[in-house]
Amino acid sequence: MNVRDFNFDLPQELIAQDPLLDRSASRLLVLDKHTGEIEHRHFKDILSYLKKGDCLVINDTKVIPARLFGVKEGTEAKIEILLLKRRENDIWETLVKPGKKAKAGTVISFGEGLLKGTVIDVVEEGNRLIQFSYDGIFEEILDRLGQMPLPPYITHQLKDKNRYQTVYAKHEGSAAAPTAGLHFTKELLKEIEDKGISIAHVTLHVGLGTFRPVKVEEIESHHMHSEFYIVEEEEAKKVNDAKKNGGRVVCVGTTSCRTVESASTEDGILKAGTGWTEIFIYPGYRFKILDCLITNFHLPESTLVMLVSALAGREHVLHAYEEAIKERYRFFSFGDAMFLTDLHEKQEHGGNV
């Protein structure tokens, strides 16, 4: 399968630069994953498409202010780093710009020496292992010095750090937000629970691997970077009970999807535990747990468009994207959402919009 099969033309002005004042006021394109039928709604209407007995799976990872700006000791050259993955002994795998100024042994100073980092190794794709030294608590220093790692297509300054967090963000460790969850408010989540829909929390710390461009022509040759996930026993039970009782598992975002698909058995039982996943989902993949998906609109030729296409078919997804462009939906992290479901199943169960 060729990477160009997942390309589409997106007008630059449709890339959302700022979050809406009301998280749940974004638009919602509902796509029937079997027929390609489309309905245009608002995100608050998601309640009408969920039914008693379903299980909503959310990723409660929390984005850390992972972008740091420092200077190289000795030359005062400016260096930017992005924290990707925590190792042991205050060592982090990082992305460094410009990399040529960060050879092994380089010492980088942040916040006039409040935090210092020594490059100890160069690993795959030129990433640097940096060991940090500081007085105090690392997280507090990071909160003071770091910036939210917004994607490069967002050029506006984020006024409120919390708008790049979900309202249920809990476990720190992500270099990017699970953006499909940004549409939920606490009030909407309560309404969902009041309707008899269980909410299962999983954790997947989002790395940049999810967003890296596919650089090979044949997508089967693309290699995903590993990301750490946690599934607690109680949360796995919620998912398994929903499946057992005929409810649907509705994943919020591609990260929740990748977590449950990575942690499940071949016969569709979600297992509690922790691990690293490199799962790459593209057309031809058979879903073991997920039934429906809430997701944002994604970059052309990205692994995320491929995942969505695995659920609803490439032709249906690209047609839905064409419709979204025509209807002037807002794209990417702060943009609007899609719900990939079975519209006729909704109607049979008496759902109304």
Side-chain angles (χ1 to χ4, degrees):
M1 202 169 290
N2 195 290
V3 66
R4 288 190 295 276
D5 293 339
F6 300 89
N7 195 17
F8 60 91
D9 293 321
L10 178 71
Q12 285 289 111
E13 68 269 18
L14 295 186
I15 299 174
Q17 291 296 324
D18 302 289
L20 297 178
L21 284 174
D22 174 3
R23 288 173 182 262
S24 62
S26 51
R27 295 167 75 187
L28 181 70
L29 185 150
V30 184
L31 174 65
D32 188 301
K33 61 184 182 176
H34 300 300
T35 67
E37 186 182 340
I38 288 169
E39 293 181 359
H40 298 288
R41 303 292 176 195
H42 285 90
F43 195 80
K44 289 185 179 82
D45 298 328
I46 196 74
L47 196 61
S48 302
Y49 292 89
L50 301 173
K51 63 179 189 285
K52 185 177 180 178
D54 286 347
C55 180
L56 193 72
V57 184
I58 59 178
N59 180 8
D60 63 9
T61 188
K62 191 170 188 179
V63 186
I64 58 173
R67 181 165 276 129
L68 287 162
F69 296 90
V71 294
K72 181 177 176 179
E73 287 198 345
T75 67
E76 298 301 297
K78 291 181 179 178
I79 292 182
E80 176 188 342
I81 76 163
L82 186 64
L83 303 175
L84 298 179
K85 197 181 292 180
R86 190 195 291 263
R87 306 278 185 97
E88 65 292 325
N89 303 322
D90 286 316
I91 295 169
W92 282 77
E93 184 176 339
T94 68
L95 191 64
V96 178
K97 289 196 302 191
K100 62 179 184 290
K101 291 182 181 173
K103 296 182 173 63
T106 298
V107 179
I108 307 165
S109 176
F110 307 93
E112 298 180 341
L114 189 64
L115 178 68
K116 290 193 178 186
T118 303
V119 180
I120 58 173
D121 200 5
V122 181
V123 292
E124 62 174 323
E125 301 215 4
N127 292 349
R128 267 61 176 173
L129 292 185
I130 293 181
Q131 185 160 34
F132 289 98
S133 58
Y134 50 90
D135 290 323
I137 298 168
F138 181 77
E139 285 74 16
E140 289 180 0
I141 294 168
L142 190 61
D143 201 48
R144 184 169 157 188
L145 300 181
Q147 293 185 12
M148 278 302 194
L150 293 178
Y153 49 74
I154 294 177
T155 57
H156 291 190
Q157 195 72 32
L158 185 63
K159 295 182 180 73
D160 177 4
K161 272 186 185 181
N162 286 325
R163 290 313 307 271
Y164 195 57
Q165 302 279 20
T166 61
V167 296
Y168 46 78
K170 186 177 180 185
H171 301 291
E172 292 190 334
S174 274
T179 54
L182 295 179
H183 304 283
F184 286 94
T185 61
K186 287 180 177 174
E187 294 77 17
L188 181 55
L189 288 167
K190 185 178 186 308
E191 284 185 73
I192 287 168
E193 283 192 299
D194 288 348
K195 191 173 176 178
I197 295 140
S198 62
I199 299 177
H201 293 240
V202 299
T203 306
L204 181 131
H205 292 319
V206 188
L208 290 190
T210 306
F211 307 101
R212 282 189 190 277
V214 178
K215 294 178 179 174
V216 291
E217 280 208 15
E218 298 302 317
I219 67 170
E220 293 86 351
S221 304
H222 177 70
H223 176 68
M224 295 284 282
H225 285 59
S226 61
E227 294 169 313
F228 184 71
Y229 70 84
I230 305 165
V231 179
E232 301 286 358
E233 194 77 53
E234 191 180 329
E235 308 306 309
K237 185 176 185 306
K238 291 177 189 174
V239 172
N240 292 329
D241 285 351
K243 292 293 271 190
K244 189 170 66 182
N245 297 325
R248 301 170 304 168
V249 174
V250 180
C251 286
V252 177
T254 57
T255 61
S256 298
C257 164
R258 294 174 66 245
T259 303
V260 299
E261 291 297 313
S262 298
S264 63
T265 62
E266 285 305 316
D267 54 353
I269 304 295
L270 183 60
K271 294 288 191 185
T274 64
W276 293 87
T277 179
E278 297 177 350
I279 193 169
F280 177 23
I281 297 174
Y282 55 87
Y285 179 84
R286 294 187 63 178
F287 289 89
K288 296 172 286 191
I289 294 276
L290 172 142
D291 296 299
C292 307
L293 178 67
I294 298 168
T295 186
N296 280 15
F297 292 92
H298 304 295
L299 287 159
E301 299 186 0
S302 64
T303 59
L304 305 179
V305 166
M306 295 168 193
L307 184 153
V308 175
S309 298
L311 182 62
R314 185 181 70 89
E315 293 81 4
H316 289 162
V317 168
L318 291 182
H319 174 65
Y321 272 53
E322 276 177 30
E323 281 291 302
I325 291 166
K326 191 170 82 179
E327 296 292 330
R328 312 296 288 173
Y329 275 68
R330 301 161 74 248
F331 273 64
F332 306 157
S333 298
F334 289 141
D336 297 315
M338 284 180 79
F339 183 38
L340 289 79
T341 185
D342 185 327
L343 287 169
H344 302 286
E345 186 176 90
K346 169 184 75 80
Q347 287 156 11
E348 284 162 17
H349 285 85
N352 51 64
V353 177

